[in-house]
Amino acid sequence: MKDLLIKTIPFTKEEIDKIRTHYIEFNDYPIIYILHKQTEAYIGESVNAFNRLHSHRLNRHNKINSKNRHDFEKITLIKHEKFNQSATFNLETKLINYFLGEEKYKLRNVSQTTSSVVHNYYEKEFYNTGVFIGIWDVLKNIENIVEKDLFLIENSDVFKLSPFKQLKDEQFDLYQKVTQELEQHFHNIKHNNLEEKKVILIKGSAGVGKSVVLSSLYYKTLEMSKDKNSNLYKTTSYILINHKEALKTFHNIASNLSLMEKNKILRPTSFINNKKIDCADVVFIDEAHLLLSSSDKYTKYHGNNHLEDIIKKSKVTIVIFDPKQVTKYKAYWNLQGVKSILSNYKLSEHELSNQLRMEAGDQLIDWIDKFTKKKLLAKPFIRPSYEFKIFRDASKMHELIKQKNKKYRLSRLVSTFDFVYKENECIKNIKTGGIDLSWNITDSSTTWAQREDDDPTYGSSVNEVGSIYTVQGFDLNYVGVILGPSISYDKKDKLLIICENYKDTEAFKGLSSNPRATKIKEEIILNSLNILMKRGIKGLYLYAHDEKLRNKLLEIFGEE
């Protein structure tokens, strides 16, 4: 790219002085720069490189402070003939996200979630694609600063949940509102001696980007805790992760960001049982619909419900909740029950509604929503860019998933929990439609959906079948969903749910005495189906074990 200029120099006074003599093309012009050494990096932008870099060089804050930048060894200067400040803000943020997804460097950056980054500017697409790709190509193939291809990073769970992600308008609006609420609440605590607990409830269905906003907000509170001008100065924030696979992701993010600490990223029971935590200032709960709603000896939780116990140990609790993702009776919540608990506290409510994961279009998403409410509608309009296919044979669906994974990565088979699970990877638990495969193996430090052939212990998970317990909250590029024996068809354009065929016995534990047992069991099965069918960004494939349902789907959509 002829208009792009990238140069790496030692991070010394003598070399920075040369910006006014030898490297004058980088002076008094919008640039991006990367401060780096073997395992750490900081990415910034400036219109006055000489002053900014000398300021960094002379900055000798305590090393635990994220603002410490004097000890880097090299600096890489990046200039494009068409750079302006909007472009450098935007590309700075992109580079931070991709460096985080690369997982090569521990980053010392602070949040870039500002309106100037998020919103449009002139020729934004030109900078976002052509210029950025050109920058990455030079950094990878000439400067040897990065190693991974862009598409590999884009598929990583760390990249997808980065706290530096550029938020969409609806997400950014929520981010601003919650940040302002936090500032106001801690202002009231500080100046008015108010001890009232506050709860912020964020609702939204699968795929609307709840966890991304949560990640950004959590990181913002960490920054504010270091800012003497913020009402959150010296506060302590925790983030509670209900999902074992998601916990791996957040711990990986913390490993690559100097401001985040793994010991502040916990499972809910660990937080509640930790006697060293008296009352945290801000506590975020991801996937709160997975919180326990009763005691559970297996996880050593002895309280009445997670939600109340967490609120008791928090000044502000920020709750992400979707009643359509409840998958176990011991974690059975509905919106009414949640609001009953939250009515005892100062409450504000927000909602995210724009579907961001699936590129399927509104009509197909509406078809899926109706399907997971047991209604079978006629064939909807499907965007040409999105693949939706029905298969007569599960083996053919698996072959296509393997082809997609080879080309795009992040393509997997998943299934409703209608096949017996045994903790032995050699046992082929799932036999239907010509496939003979095992359930997911989750012992690897890599999340199940991310495991490829280079995993030293288990190899790729493309030849395993995932459950809701491995894919809930995660994106896939292409997903092949096996509708197991619990999902049938009653010939009245409605699904028939056969609860006794559902093999996740833990999901129904404790339900036998409930007069609404059958209704709740159906709800749990349909919720799991909703989760599975909304994983695929680029495509959704279906195979129904039940012959009646399979034939009806083939009648509606045609055979693949």
Side-chain angles (χ1 to χ4, degrees):
M1 185 176 286
K2 63 180 181 179
D3 295 329
L4 182 65
L5 184 63
I6 297 180
K7 187 173 186 65
T8 300
I9 60 174
F11 188 46
T12 63
K13 178 184 184 302
E14 293 73 22
E15 287 297 311
I16 296 172
D17 284 343
K18 290 180 183 179
I19 289 175
R20 286 183 168 174
T21 56
H22 293 65
Y23 317 131
I24 197 166
E25 61 271 26
F26 293 103
N27 197 37
D28 293 329
Y29 190 88
I31 68 158
I32 303 167
Y33 59 89
I34 305 168
L35 294 166
H36 54 100
K37 55 183 180 179
Q38 188 172 4
T39 59
E40 293 186 84
Y42 171 83
I43 299 167
E45 59 80 35
S46 179
V47 293
N48 190 323
F50 179 85
N51 289 342
R52 177 66 62 84
L53 297 178
H54 271 308
S55 174
H56 287 327
R57 188 184 61 79
L58 295 171
N59 186 316
R60 294 181 176 273
H61 288 208
N62 188 294
K63 286 193 175 185
I64 63 171
N65 192 309
S66 63
K67 292 183 179 179
N68 169 47
R69 291 157 199 152
H70 77 280
D71 60 334
F72 286 106
E73 297 168 357
K74 295 179 180 179
I75 180 164
T76 298
L77 305 168
I78 304 170
K79 175 188 173 182
H80 191 279
E81 289 299 325
K82 291 188 177 182
F83 267 178
N84 55 60
Q85 268 204 290
S86 293
T88 55
F89 271 129
N90 180 27
L91 294 176
E92 173 197 21
T93 303
K94 283 196 68 138
L95 277 172
I96 292 168
N97 278 308
Y98 280 85
F99 265 65
L100 184 60
E102 163 113 296
E103 297 187 71
K104 179 180 178 181
Y105 300 96
K106 194 176 188 76
L107 294 180
R108 296 188 194 171
N109 279 86
V110 295
S111 174
Q112 303 297 304
T113 311
T114 61
S115 57
S116 57
V117 173
V118 174
H119 296 112
N120 285 327
Y121 60 90
Y122 181 63
E123 289 193 321
K124 183 176 181 180
E125 189 57 32
F126 164 72
Y127 295 102
N128 255 342
T129 52
V131 174
F132 183 76
I133 291 170
I135 291 171
W136 195 264
D137 184 61
V138 173
L139 294 179
K140 178 176 181 286
N141 298 313
I142 299 175
E143 300 292 328
N144 297 315
I145 294 172
V146 297
E147 298 172 354
K148 293 182 181 178
D149 290 329
L150 290 173
F151 89 97
L152 291 176
I153 294 173
E154 287 161 1
N155 280 332
S156 78
D157 47 2
V158 169
F159 176 81
K160 290 172 185 289
L161 287 177
S162 164
F164 302 102
K165 211 73 170 171
Q166 291 187 22
L167 304 178
K168 302 296 184 182
D169 287 346
E170 184 186 43
Q171 293 174 310
F172 183 66
D173 183 54
L174 173 58
Y175 171 90
Q176 285 185 308
K177 287 177 180 176
V178 173
T179 302
Q180 290 164 6
E181 286 183 47
L182 288 170
E183 282 283 8
Q184 185 61 54
H185 188 74
F186 281 96
H187 172 85
N188 293 339
I189 291 175
K190 187 176 180 181
H191 297 283
N192 302 326
N193 271 334
L194 292 182
E195 294 298 327
E196 185 181 22
K197 291 181 179 292
K198 181 175 178 62
V199 179
I200 300 172
L201 176 64
I202 300 172
K203 297 171 288 185
S205 61
V208 298
K210 302 183 297 296
S211 293
V212 174
V213 176
L214 192 76
S215 179
S216 296
L217 282 169
Y218 175 61
Y219 199 77
K220 182 63 174 176
T221 64
L222 299 180
E223 291 176 0
M224 291 157 74
S225 73
K226 307 292 185 185
D227 182 359
K228 292 181 180 179
N229 296 315
S230 171
N231 289 307
L232 277 79
Y233 182 54
K234 291 188 176 180
T235 56
T236 303
S237 296
Y238 289 81
I239 185 167
L240 307 185
I241 310 297
N242 283 284
H243 199 291
K244 179 182 175 183
E245 295 292 286
L247 188 66
K248 293 178 186 177
T249 299
F250 276 96
H251 279 172
N252 287 338
I253 292 173
S255 296
N256 293 286
L257 289 174
S258 59
L259 204 56
M260 287 178 72
E261 301 173 83
K262 287 184 180 180
N263 64 359
K264 299 292 193 300
I265 306 170
L266 303 171
R267 299 293 287 271
T269 299
S270 299
F271 173 80
I272 292 166
N273 290 346
N274 191 330
K275 294 180 180 178
K276 293 180 180 180
I277 304 171
D278 180 30
C279 187
D281 293 299
V282 186
V283 175
F284 295 83
I285 309 175
D286 191 31
E287 309 269 14
H289 36 266
L290 301 179
L291 291 173
L292 292 172
S293 55
S294 59
S295 61
D296 183 38
K297 291 181 181 179
Y298 178 74
T299 59
K300 297 181 181 179
Y301 173 62
H302 307 293
N304 293 321
N305 70 74
H306 269 160
L307 185 56
E308 280 190 300
D309 285 345
I310 292 167
I311 293 172
K312 287 175 184 175
K313 295 187 70 166
S314 318
K315 293 179 183 176
V316 178
T317 312
I318 300 175
V319 180
I320 296 286
F321 183 74
D322 176 14
K324 287 282 288 177
Q325 294 196 58
V326 171
T327 58
K328 284 187 176 181
Y329 184 60
K330 69 179 182 181
Y332 182 75
W333 297 94
N334 55 34
L335 193 54
Q336 184 180 357
V338 169
K339 285 192 174 182
S340 175
I341 291 173
L342 301 187
S343 63
N344 298 314
Y345 307 98
K346 185 178 180 181
L347 173 67
S348 67
E349 297 183 47
H350 305 276
E351 186 163 6
L352 292 170
S353 58
N354 295 335
Q355 174 61 235
L356 300 176
R357 177 184 292 130
M358 300 175 69
E359 299 171 359
D362 292 342
Q363 288 194 33
L364 180 56
I365 290 169
D366 181 64
W367 188 92
I368 293 170
D369 286 339
K370 296 296 193 301
F371 187 76
T372 57
K373 292 176 181 175
K374 303 202 296 185
K375 298 177 184 177
L376 261 170
L377 302 184
K379 182 178 180 179
F381 169 77
I382 302 168
R383 286 180 180 171
S385 59
Y386 193 83
E387 287 190 33
F388 181 80
K389 300 176 186 289
I390 308 296
F391 287 82
R392 188 177 296 276
D393 298 308
S395 57
K396 290 184 179 179
M397 182 170 77
H398 186 210
E399 285 305 313
L400 185 55
I401 284 291
K402 288 192 286 186
Q403 291 173 26
K404 295 295 184 183
N405 191 62
K406 189 173 182 180
K407 186 173 182 179
Y408 301 104
R409 299 287 185 102
L410 219 58
S411 302
R412 295 292 183 271
L413 283 185
V414 299
S415 175
T416 51
F417 216 126
D418 292 321
F419 303 90
V420 174
Y421 174 76
K422 295 180 181 178
E423 293 188 26
N424 185 335
E425 63 268 22
C426 297
I427 297 175
K428 306 299 183 183
N429 308 102
I430 300 165
K431 299 179 181 182
T432 183
I435 65 168
D436 189 4
L437 299 172
S438 65
W439 278 114
N440 42 243
I441 302 164
T442 58
D443 295 338
S444 172
S445 59
T446 305
T447 56
W448 177 79
Q450 297 280 332
R451 249 182 43 227
E452 294 293 349
D453 290 328
D454 56 0
D455 184 88
T457 307
Y458 297 105
S460 175
S461 57
V462 75
N463 290 313
E464 299 166 14
V465 180
S467 73
I468 50 169
Y469 302 120
T470 46
V471 297
Q472 190 168 13
F474 286 92
D475 293 347
L476 295 171
N477 285 327
Y478 293 86
V479 62
V481 180
I482 298 169
L483 307 175
S486 70
I487 315 292
S488 185
Y489 172 64
D490 70 357
K491 296 186 179 180
K492 297 177 183 177
D493 290 331
K494 288 184 68 178
L495 295 186
L496 177 66
I497 306 302
I498 308 172
C499 299
E500 54 267 30
N501 287 342
Y502 200 63
K503 303 303 181 186
D504 185 6
T505 53
E506 272 295 309
F508 298 156
K509 194 172 182 179
L511 252 175
S512 55
S513 60
N514 192 305
R516 296 181 62 247
T518 301
K519 180 76 174 173
I520 293 172
K521 286 179 180 180
E522 278 199 5
E523 187 180 336
I524 286 171
I525 293 170
L526 290 168
N527 282 352
S528 69
L529 183 58
N530 175 62
I531 292 164
L532 297 177
M533 291 180 72
K534 290 182 177 175
R535 295 303 99 196
I537 298 170
K538 301 175 183 295
L540 167 63
Y541 309 144
L542 294 179
Y543 167 78
H545 173 90
D546 181 86
E547 185 177 5
K548 296 189 294 295
L549 177 58
R550 184 165 66 247
N551 289 336
K552 182 61 180 178
L553 289 171
L554 290 168
E555 178 188 317
I556 295 172
F557 290 97
E559 184 172 354
E560 187 53 41

